[in-house]
């Protein structure tokens, strides 16, 4: 009877697989630089030649990229998949913003429910820290910091959902189709009545997740995204009306209208 012995996994393959897992789960983010080679070898308890072999495997797979003088970093994963001309076309049309927020409502409501069920203590600490950052920025009335803390909370919820596909897709989309949303979100944090509503909505989402109440978390996220969607519509409509009024006053910049 012929024997087919199982060979143990090569050390370099184990290195590659470990780093690959860190990338997949989001522990290593796109464009994040790796430690210097000496430090990596010590952390992974392998020789430097073995480490180089493992890193070369990841470079060949397109997961790591290197630039002279910068060392290795995680490739901008997912971004290429979302640079199709169709995505660029969508990003250039503000009317797509409403559809994007509709998509986010579906995804993030589900993510909030999953986070309430699956969040680890570390996840819960990150969500609590994001809520504290929102409170601090709100108290200081700094719109830019509030918008940044808002984004950090949503990112923490994606991670706490422990759904790797959801996390990676939302990360990849973060640089695409969001320019109009980000701009409108920044405007919302300049309006006192909206700032208070957004702060309260974030509190409700975070509290439901920390209370491990999936139904309440889904409902709170749905209410929040519904509000953001309607507020974005209102802002866009108000800006369109103002622009129309300006054109009428000036003859669209083409007429000889006198003041």
């Amino acid at each position: 009877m012929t024997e087919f012995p199982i060979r143990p996994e090569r050390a370099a393959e184990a290195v590659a697989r470990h780093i690959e897992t860190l990338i997949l789960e989001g522990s290593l983010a796109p464009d994040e630089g790796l430690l210097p080679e000496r430090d990596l070898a010590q952390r992974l308890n392998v020789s430097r030649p073995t480490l180089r072999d493992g890193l070369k495997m990841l470079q060949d797979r397109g997961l790591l990229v290197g630039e002279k003088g910068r060392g290795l970093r995680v490739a901008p994963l997912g971004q290429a998949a979302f640079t199709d001309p169709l995505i660029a076309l969508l990003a250039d049309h503000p009317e797509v913003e409403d559809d994007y927020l509709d998509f986010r409502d579906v995804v993030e409501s589900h993510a909030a429910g999953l986070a309430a069920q699956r969040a680890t203590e570390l996840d819960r600490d990150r969500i609590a820290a994001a809520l504290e950052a929102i409170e601090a920025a709100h108290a200081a009335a700094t719109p830019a910091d509030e918008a940044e803390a808002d984004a950090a909370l949503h990112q923490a919820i994606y991670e706490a959902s422990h759904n790797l596909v959801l996390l990676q897709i939302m990360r990849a989309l973060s640089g695409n189709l969001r320019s109009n949303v980000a701009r409108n979100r920044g405007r919302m944090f300049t309006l006192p009545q909206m700032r208070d509503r957004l702060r309260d909505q974030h509190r409700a989402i975070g509290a439901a997740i920390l209370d491990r109440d999936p139904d309440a978390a889904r409902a709170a996220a749905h209410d929040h995204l519904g509000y953001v969607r309607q507020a974005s519509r209102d802002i866009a409509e108000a800006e369109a009306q103002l622009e129309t009024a300006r054109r009428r006053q000036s003859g669209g910049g083409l007429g000889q209208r006198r003041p």
Side-chain angles (χ1 to χ4, degrees):
M1 181 176 180
T2 305
E3 294 183 357
F4 297 93
I6 298 175
R7 291 167 42 184
E9 186 175 39
R10 289 177 50 209
E13 292 171 348
V15 167
R17 185 172 295 278
H18 178 71
I19 296 175
E20 193 176 67
T21 299
L22 294 179
I23 294 171
L24 177 63
E25 71 184 15
S27 296
L28 284 172
D31 282 326
E32 182 172 354
L34 297 185
L35 291 172
E37 185 180 285
R38 179 186 300 175
D39 295 334
L40 275 177
Q42 289 178 345
R43 292 283 181 91
L44 297 172
N45 195 28
V46 295
S47 68
R48 292 174 76 169
T50 295
L51 174 68
R52 291 188 196 112
D53 287 345
L55 296 177
K56 180 64 166 55
M57 292 177 188
L58 296 175
Q59 286 180 280
D60 291 343
R61 296 173 195 168
L63 295 175
L64 295 180
V65 293
E67 295 178 13
K68 191 172 181 178
R70 286 191 59 189
L72 290 177
R73 58 187 175 85
V74 179
L77 301 171
Q79 294 180 16
F82 291 95
T83 55
D84 181 278
L86 174 61
I87 298 299
L89 179 64
L90 294 175
D92 287 339
H93 287 262
E95 61 269 23
V96 174
E97 177 182 349
D98 192 68
D99 289 341
Y100 176 64
L101 287 170
D102 187 24
F103 168 76
R104 278 189 60 194
D105 186 357
V106 174
V107 174
E108 294 192 27
S109 297
H110 183 60
L114 291 178
Q117 295 174 301
R118 301 176 177 178
T120 66
E121 287 307 311
L122 288 175
D123 294 326
R124 290 161 61 82
D125 288 344
R126 286 197 63 196
I127 290 171
L131 291 171
E132 289 176 5
I134 287 173
E135 293 287 353
H138 187 273
T142 51
D145 289 345
E146 280 192 279
E148 184 176 341
D150 173 349
L153 174 64
H154 288 283
Q155 178 66 26
I157 292 171
Y158 300 150
E159 294 178 3
S161 75
H162 290 277
N163 182 312
L164 298 183
V165 174
L166 184 154
L167 170 63
Q168 295 297 346
I169 287 176
M170 296 308 291
R171 266 191 172 173
L173 279 174
S174 65
N176 301 279
L177 295 182
R178 289 186 61 173
S179 57
N180 293 318
V181 178
R183 185 169 62 251
N184 281 343
R185 185 178 65 188
R187 292 192 188 105
M188 290 178 202
F189 284 115
T190 66
L191 304 173
Q193 68 275 20
M194 286 191 181
R195 290 179 58 240
D196 291 343
R197 287 286 297 277
L198 291 170
R199 188 268 318 272
D200 292 344
Q201 289 167 1
H202 289 136
R203 279 177 175 174
I205 297 170
I209 292 173
L210 296 178
D211 288 343
R212 299 197 182 280
D213 188 336
D215 291 338
R218 280 190 290 269
H222 175 66
D223 289 346
H224 170 58
L225 267 300
Y227 176 76
V228 171
R229 191 179 179 191
Q230 185 59 53
S232 293
R233 289 174 182 166
D234 293 344
I235 289 172
E237 183 179 354
E239 289 184 342
Q241 291 173 346
L242 179 60
E243 186 61 28
T244 299
R246 286 173 176 163
R247 287 197 301 270
R248 286 172 179 159
Q249 188 175 28
S250 67
L254 300 179
Q256 298 183 27
R257 186 170 303 173
R258 296 177 182 177

